[in-house]
Amino acid sequence: DAGVIQSPRHEVTEMGQEVTLRCKPISGHDYLFWYRQTMMRGLELLIYFNNNVPIDDSGMPEDRFSAKMPNASFSTLKIQPSEPRDSAVYFCASSRQDSGNTIYFGEGSWLTVV
Amino acid sequence: GIQVEQSPPDLILQEGANSTLRCNFSDSVNNLQWFHQNPWGQLINLFYIPSGTKQNGRLSATTVATERYSLLYISSSQTTDSGVYFCAVPARGGSYIPTFGRGTSLIVHP
């Protein structure tokens, strides 16, 4: 089985630009998570979806952040406009509730905003 | 929400040594997972262990839910064990959405 697939792996962008991160969860998984990792704050949950529906977005830092899941095999996390403090590694993860809720992570998208 | 504390924050070992990593949590949980983040940033699920003991090769984990802690044992450590070890528990009671501790950073020297 293919794991969680994220793109791009690395992105360097200028402040003010729009950034779109993409994720393909593991087939058959009904939960999808977006996490952000920084040295200061560790791993933070930004938002999660259940069956494509956003359930809790309380971790989304500001209105500049938005996430969508138009179907079971695709999700995006968008930052518009981006700021230097958004620089971080963004992880997508997925799980299936009836398999013990074991969570599987993608390899991450390393974002640098200059 | 449930608080997670991991100890020690940093650990340096010589190859072949054994170690124990600890995860304390502030409330009852029905879900606990251990992860390893390797030096390249990949996060790998090691154990799903809400209670009891599990073993996988040189790694084993024990969770004592009634006393609100979990232990991860690494025996005969190897340089490839280096990285950060995280434990994750539900963010709040009744949920299973993982919230992560700050991790234990492990360096294994050859």
Short mmCIF file of all heavy atoms in Angstrom, two decimals, chain B residues 68-106:
data_model
loop_
_atom_site.label_atom_id
_atom_site.label_comp_id
_atom_site.label_asym_id
_atom_site.label_seq_id
_atom_site.Cartn_x
_atom_site.Cartn_y
_atom_site.Cartn_z
N ARG B 68 -1.37 6.30 34.59
CA ARG B 68 -1.21 7.38 33.62
C ARG B 68 0.23 7.56 33.15
O ARG B 68 0.78 8.69 33.15
CB ARG B 68 -1.75 8.70 34.19
CG ARG B 68 -3.23 8.61 34.55
CD ARG B 68 -3.75 9.89 35.14
NE ARG B 68 -5.11 9.72 35.62
CZ ARG B 68 -5.75 10.65 36.31
NH1 ARG B 68 -5.15 11.79 36.60
NH2 ARG B 68 -7.00 10.43 36.69
N TYR B 69 0.84 6.44 32.77
CA TYR B 69 2.15 6.57 32.16
C TYR B 69 2.38 5.43 31.18
O TYR B 69 1.71 4.39 31.22
CB TYR B 69 3.28 6.61 33.21
CG TYR B 69 3.56 5.30 33.89
CD1 TYR B 69 4.48 4.39 33.36
CD2 TYR B 69 2.94 4.97 35.10
CE1 TYR B 69 4.75 3.20 33.99
CE2 TYR B 69 3.20 3.78 35.74
CZ TYR B 69 4.11 2.89 35.18
OH TYR B 69 4.38 1.70 35.82
N SER B 70 3.34 5.67 30.29
CA SER B 70 3.77 4.66 29.34
C SER B 70 5.29 4.72 29.25
O SER B 70 5.88 5.80 29.40
CB SER B 70 3.14 4.89 27.97
OG SER B 70 3.50 3.87 27.06
N LEU B 71 5.89 3.57 29.02
CA LEU B 71 7.34 3.47 28.89
C LEU B 71 7.71 2.84 27.56
O LEU B 71 7.04 1.89 27.11
CB LEU B 71 7.91 2.61 30.03
CG LEU B 71 7.63 3.07 31.46
CD1 LEU B 71 8.14 2.04 32.46
CD2 LEU B 71 8.26 4.42 31.73
N LEU B 72 8.73 3.37 26.95
CA LEU B 72 9.28 2.79 25.73
C LEU B 72 10.69 2.32 26.04
O LEU B 72 11.53 3.11 26.49
CB LEU B 72 9.30 3.81 24.59
CG LEU B 72 9.89 3.33 23.26
CD1 LEU B 72 8.95 2.30 22.61
CD2 LEU B 72 10.09 4.51 22.30
N TYR B 73 10.95 1.03 25.82
CA TYR B 73 12.26 0.45 26.07
C TYR B 73 12.99 0.22 24.75
O TYR B 73 12.40 -0.33 23.82
CB TYR B 73 12.13 -0.91 26.77
CG TYR B 73 11.36 -0.90 28.05
CD1 TYR B 73 10.00 -1.24 28.06
CD2 TYR B 73 11.96 -0.61 29.26
CE1 TYR B 73 9.27 -1.26 29.24
CE2 TYR B 73 11.24 -0.64 30.45
CZ TYR B 73 9.90 -0.96 30.42
OH TYR B 73 9.18 -0.98 31.60
N ILE B 74 14.23 0.65 24.73
CA ILE B 74 15.07 0.37 23.58
C ILE B 74 16.26 -0.45 24.08
O ILE B 74 17.02 0.00 24.95
CB ILE B 74 15.59 1.66 22.91
CG1 ILE B 74 14.42 2.56 22.53
CG2 ILE B 74 16.43 1.33 21.69
CD1 ILE B 74 14.84 3.93 21.99
N SER B 75 16.41 -1.65 23.58
CA SER B 75 17.52 -2.49 24.01
C SER B 75 18.57 -2.54 22.91
O SER B 75 18.26 -2.42 21.72
CB SER B 75 17.04 -3.90 24.35
OG SER B 75 16.52 -4.53 23.21
N SER B 76 19.83 -2.73 23.34
CA SER B 76 20.95 -2.84 22.40
C SER B 76 20.87 -1.77 21.32
O SER B 76 20.80 -2.06 20.12
CB SER B 76 20.96 -4.23 21.77
OG SER B 76 21.03 -5.22 22.76
N SER B 77 20.86 -0.52 21.74
CA SER B 77 20.61 0.59 20.82
C SER B 77 21.61 0.61 19.67
O SER B 77 22.78 0.19 19.81
CB SER B 77 20.64 1.92 21.57
OG SER B 77 21.88 2.10 22.21
N GLN B 78 21.12 1.08 18.54
CA GLN B 78 21.93 1.22 17.33
C GLN B 78 21.87 2.67 16.86
O GLN B 78 20.95 3.41 17.22
CB GLN B 78 21.41 0.28 16.24
CG GLN B 78 21.44 -1.19 16.63
CD GLN B 78 20.86 -2.10 15.57
OE1 GLN B 78 20.39 -1.65 14.53
NE2 GLN B 78 20.90 -3.40 15.85
N THR B 79 22.83 3.05 16.03
CA THR B 79 22.87 4.44 15.56
C THR B 79 21.59 4.80 14.82
O THR B 79 21.15 5.96 14.85
CB THR B 79 24.09 4.69 14.67
OG1 THR B 79 24.07 3.77 13.58
CG2 THR B 79 25.38 4.52 15.46
N THR B 80 20.96 3.82 14.19
CA THR B 80 19.72 4.09 13.46
C THR B 80 18.53 4.37 14.39
O THR B 80 17.47 4.78 13.91
CB THR B 80 19.37 2.90 12.56
OG1 THR B 80 19.40 1.70 13.35
CG2 THR B 80 20.37 2.77 11.42
N ASP B 81 18.72 4.15 15.68
CA ASP B 81 17.66 4.51 16.64
C ASP B 81 17.65 6.01 16.93
O ASP B 81 16.72 6.51 17.57
CB ASP B 81 17.86 3.76 17.96
CG ASP B 81 17.72 2.25 17.81
OD1 ASP B 81 16.97 1.81 16.92
OD2 ASP B 81 18.37 1.52 18.58
N SER B 82 18.65 6.72 16.50
CA SER B 82 18.73 8.16 16.76
C SER B 82 17.52 8.87 16.17
O SER B 82 16.94 8.44 15.16
CB SER B 82 20.01 8.75 16.16
OG SER B 82 21.15 8.20 16.77
N GLY B 83 17.14 9.95 16.83
CA GLY B 83 15.99 10.72 16.37
C GLY B 83 15.20 11.18 17.58
O GLY B 83 15.70 11.21 18.70
N VAL B 84 13.95 11.54 17.34
CA VAL B 84 13.08 12.01 18.41
C VAL B 84 11.93 11.03 18.57
O VAL B 84 11.32 10.63 17.58
CB VAL B 84 12.54 13.42 18.13
CG1 VAL B 84 11.69 13.91 19.30
CG2 VAL B 84 13.68 14.39 17.85
N TYR B 85 11.64 10.67 19.81
CA TYR B 85 10.56 9.76 20.13
C TYR B 85 9.42 10.54 20.75
O TYR B 85 9.61 11.25 21.74
CB TYR B 85 11.05 8.65 21.06
CG TYR B 85 12.00 7.71 20.37
CD1 TYR B 85 13.34 8.04 20.22
CD2 TYR B 85 11.54 6.51 19.83
CE1 TYR B 85 14.21 7.20 19.55
CE2 TYR B 85 12.41 5.65 19.17
CZ TYR B 85 13.74 6.01 19.03
OH TYR B 85 14.59 5.17 18.36
N PHE B 86 8.26 10.40 20.15
CA PHE B 86 7.07 11.10 20.63
C PHE B 86 6.04 10.11 21.15
O PHE B 86 5.86 9.03 20.58
CB PHE B 86 6.40 11.88 19.51
CG PHE B 86 7.20 13.05 18.98
CD1 PHE B 86 7.94 12.92 17.82
CD2 PHE B 86 7.17 14.27 19.63
CE1 PHE B 86 8.67 13.99 17.32
CE2 PHE B 86 7.89 15.35 19.14
CZ PHE B 86 8.64 15.21 17.99
N CYS B 87 5.34 10.51 22.20
CA CYS B 87 4.14 9.78 22.53
C CYS B 87 2.95 10.71 22.26
O CYS B 87 3.08 11.93 22.33
CB CYS B 87 4.16 9.24 23.96
SG CYS B 87 3.48 10.25 25.23
N ALA B 88 1.84 10.12 21.91
CA ALA B 88 0.65 10.88 21.57
C ALA B 88 -0.56 10.24 22.24
O ALA B 88 -0.72 9.02 22.21
CB ALA B 88 0.44 10.92 20.06
N VAL B 89 -1.38 11.08 22.84
CA VAL B 89 -2.61 10.63 23.50
C VAL B 89 -3.76 11.49 22.99
O VAL B 89 -3.53 12.54 22.38
CB VAL B 89 -2.51 10.73 25.03
CG1 VAL B 89 -1.35 9.90 25.55
CG2 VAL B 89 -2.38 12.18 25.48
N PRO B 90 -4.99 11.08 23.24
CA PRO B 90 -6.11 11.92 22.79
C PRO B 90 -6.06 13.30 23.43
O PRO B 90 -5.68 13.45 24.59
CB PRO B 90 -7.34 11.14 23.26
CG PRO B 90 -6.88 9.74 23.36
CD PRO B 90 -5.46 9.82 23.80
N ALA B 91 -6.47 14.28 22.64
CA ALA B 91 -6.42 15.67 23.11
C ALA B 91 -7.33 15.89 24.31
O ALA B 91 -7.06 16.73 25.15
CB ALA B 91 -6.81 16.61 21.97
N ARG B 92 -8.41 15.15 24.38
CA ARG B 92 -9.34 15.29 25.50
C ARG B 92 -10.12 13.99 25.65
O ARG B 92 -10.13 13.16 24.74
CB ARG B 92 -10.28 16.46 25.28
CG ARG B 92 -11.05 16.39 23.99
CD ARG B 92 -11.82 17.67 23.70
NE ARG B 92 -12.48 17.60 22.41
CZ ARG B 92 -11.89 17.87 21.25
NH1 ARG B 92 -10.63 18.24 21.24
NH2 ARG B 92 -12.56 17.78 20.12
N GLY B 93 -10.73 13.83 26.81
CA GLY B 93 -11.48 12.61 27.07
C GLY B 93 -12.56 12.36 26.04
O GLY B 93 -13.24 13.29 25.61
N GLY B 94 -12.69 11.12 25.64
CA GLY B 94 -13.72 10.77 24.68
C GLY B 94 -13.28 10.92 23.25
O GLY B 94 -13.96 10.48 22.32
N SER B 95 -12.15 11.58 23.04
CA SER B 95 -11.61 11.77 21.69
C SER B 95 -10.48 10.79 21.47
O SER B 95 -9.92 10.26 22.43
CB SER B 95 -11.10 13.20 21.55
OG SER B 95 -10.23 13.33 20.43
N TYR B 96 -10.14 10.55 20.22
CA TYR B 96 -8.92 9.80 19.98
C TYR B 96 -7.95 10.60 19.12
O TYR B 96 -6.89 10.13 18.77
CB TYR B 96 -9.24 8.46 19.30
CG TYR B 96 -9.27 8.53 17.81
CD1 TYR B 96 -8.20 8.14 17.04
CD2 TYR B 96 -10.40 9.01 17.16
CE1 TYR B 96 -8.23 8.22 15.67
CE2 TYR B 96 -10.43 9.10 15.78
CZ TYR B 96 -9.35 8.68 15.04
OH TYR B 96 -9.39 8.78 13.69
N ILE B 97 -8.30 11.86 18.86
CA ILE B 97 -7.45 12.69 18.02
C ILE B 97 -6.15 12.96 18.77
O ILE B 97 -6.15 13.53 19.86
CB ILE B 97 -8.15 14.00 17.66
CG1 ILE B 97 -9.51 13.69 17.04
CG2 ILE B 97 -7.27 14.84 16.75
CD1 ILE B 97 -9.47 12.75 15.86
N PRO B 98 -5.01 12.55 18.19
CA PRO B 98 -3.75 12.59 18.94
C PRO B 98 -3.22 13.98 19.20
O PRO B 98 -3.19 14.80 18.30
CB PRO B 98 -2.79 11.81 18.05
CG PRO B 98 -3.63 11.07 17.08
CD PRO B 98 -4.83 11.93 16.87
N THR B 99 -2.76 14.19 20.42
CA THR B 99 -1.96 15.35 20.75
C THR B 99 -0.61 14.84 21.21
O THR B 99 -0.53 13.82 21.90
CB THR B 99 -2.63 16.24 21.82
OG1 THR B 99 -1.90 17.45 21.97
CG2 THR B 99 -2.69 15.55 23.17
N PHE B 100 0.45 15.54 20.82
CA PHE B 100 1.80 15.01 20.99
C PHE B 100 2.53 15.68 22.15
O PHE B 100 2.37 16.87 22.39
CB PHE B 100 2.60 15.24 19.70
CG PHE B 100 2.23 14.31 18.60
CD1 PHE B 100 1.07 14.50 17.87
CD2 PHE B 100 3.03 13.22 18.29
CE1 PHE B 100 0.70 13.62 16.87
CE2 PHE B 100 2.68 12.35 17.28
CZ PHE B 100 1.52 12.55 16.57
N GLY B 101 3.37 14.87 22.83
CA GLY B 101 4.31 15.44 23.76
C GLY B 101 5.43 16.14 23.01
O GLY B 101 5.46 16.15 21.78
N ARG B 102 6.39 16.73 23.78
CA ARG B 102 7.50 17.45 23.15
C ARG B 102 8.62 16.53 22.71
O ARG B 102 9.55 16.95 22.03
CB ARG B 102 8.04 18.52 24.10
CG ARG B 102 7.05 19.64 24.38
CD ARG B 102 6.49 20.29 23.12
NE ARG B 102 7.51 20.85 22.27
CZ ARG B 102 7.88 22.13 22.29
NH1 ARG B 102 7.32 22.96 23.15
NH2 ARG B 102 8.81 22.57 21.46
N GLY B 103 8.52 15.27 23.10
CA GLY B 103 9.47 14.30 22.59
C GLY B 103 10.72 14.13 23.43
O GLY B 103 11.06 14.97 24.27
N THR B 104 11.40 13.00 23.20
CA THR B 104 12.73 12.72 23.75
C THR B 104 13.68 12.62 22.57
O THR B 104 13.47 11.79 21.67
CB THR B 104 12.75 11.41 24.54
OG1 THR B 104 11.97 11.55 25.72
CG2 THR B 104 14.18 11.02 24.90
N SER B 105 14.70 13.47 22.58
CA SER B 105 15.69 13.45 21.51
C SER B 105 16.80 12.48 21.88
O SER B 105 17.46 12.64 22.91
CB SER B 105 16.27 14.85 21.30
OG SER B 105 17.30 14.81 20.32
N LEU B 106 17.00 11.46 21.06
CA LEU B 106 17.98 10.41 21.33
C LEU B 106 19.10 10.46 20.31
O LEU B 106 18.84 10.49 19.10
CB LEU B 106 17.30 9.03 21.29
CG LEU B 106 18.22 7.82 21.38
CD1 LEU B 106 18.92 7.77 22.73
CD2 LEU B 106 17.45 6.53 21.13
#
